[in-house]
């Protein structure tokens, strides 16, 4: 029998990449643990951010002759899954104060205004509206609302 000592070569880039992957997984687990702690304490985190178009230069929406529920095509954030991307409806999971902001951008050279309204339980809360026939109209509006669970 012949025993030979084997030289082990360590690839530092592979070790660095592996460490980076484990660090990212540990960070994600820490976030999940924090969220579970909040849930066990009865604290629910809710936030959503969405856009009508999926990318810059996306399609137009409207004009509409009647009130139409807008369904945001690009959901950037939906913590707590309170926004339903199929119906366009946000439902408060717990009683609390929720902040809503609308930001609109339209295209000029037409006779249609750029407008959107926020409703809560079929009651009009606020409107963002602008009408100009040239250039690019824009409008925004927002506010904080005290919602009950299921509003």
């Amino acid at each position: 029998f012949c025993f030979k000592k084997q030289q082990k070569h360590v690839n530092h880039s592979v070790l660095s990449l592996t460490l980076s992957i484990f660090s990212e997984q540990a960070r994600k687990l820490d976030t999940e643990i924090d969220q579970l702690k909040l849930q066990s304490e009865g604290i629910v985190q809710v936030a959503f951010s969405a856009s009508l178009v999926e990318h810059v230069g996306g399609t137009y929406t409207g004009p509409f002759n009647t009130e139409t529920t807008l369904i945001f095509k690009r959901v950037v954030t939906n913590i707590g899954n309170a926004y339903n991307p199929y119906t366009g409806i946000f439902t408060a999971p717990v009683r609390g104060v929720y902040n809503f902001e609308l930001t609109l951008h339209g295209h000029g050279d037409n006779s249609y205004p750029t407008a959107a309204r926020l409703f809560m339980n079929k009651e009009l809360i606020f409107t963002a509206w602008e009408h100009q026939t040239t250039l690019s109209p824009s409008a925004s509006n927002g506010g904080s609302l005290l919602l009950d669970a299921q509003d």
Side-chain angles (χ1 to χ4, degrees):
F1 292 104
C2 179
F3 294 97
K4 294 185 180 180
K5 183 178 178 184
Q6 291 184 345
Q7 181 92 22
K8 292 190 178 182
H9 297 282
V10 177
N11 186 332
H12 293 287
S13 63
V14 171
L15 286 176
S16 177
L17 178 62
T18 302
L19 180 59
S20 175
I21 291 170
F22 283 136
S23 294
E24 179 64 19
Q25 288 175 341
R27 186 192 63 75
K28 287 180 181 177
L29 287 173
D30 284 342
T31 301
E32 288 180 29
I33 289 169
D34 289 343
Q35 289 176 347
L36 289 171
K37 284 179 184 176
L38 290 172
Q39 287 176 357
S40 70
E41 295 169 2
I43 300 171
V44 178
Q45 291 184 334
V46 179
F48 87 96
S49 175
S51 171
L52 279 176
V53 294
E54 295 190 39
H55 53 81
V56 175
T59 61
Y60 295 99
T61 303
F64 300 107
N65 293 327
T66 60
E67 296 287 345
T68 302
T69 300
L70 299 175
I71 299 174
F72 298 107
K73 296 171 180 70
R74 180 169 185 250
V75 179
V76 179
T77 303
N78 196 5
I79 298 170
N81 293 314
Y83 174 72
N84 184 326
Y86 303 104
T87 65
I89 304 292
F90 172 87
T91 304
V94 295
R95 179 178 168 81
V97 175
Y98 295 83
N99 188 63
F100 295 90
E101 301 288 332
L102 292 175
T103 302
L104 312 174
H105 175 78
H107 296 281
D109 298 328
N110 64 48
S111 60
Y112 301 108
T114 297
R117 296 177 175 177
L118 179 74
F119 288 85
M120 179 184 77
N121 301 333
K122 299 183 181 181
E123 176 188 351
L124 176 62
I125 301 300
F126 63 74
T127 300
W129 185 92
E130 176 65 46
H131 186 210
Q132 60 188 50
T133 57
T134 60
L135 303 174
S136 298
S138 62
S140 62
N141 203 346
S144 297
L145 302 171
L146 176 60
L147 302 181
D148 288 322
Q150 303 307 305
D151 277 349

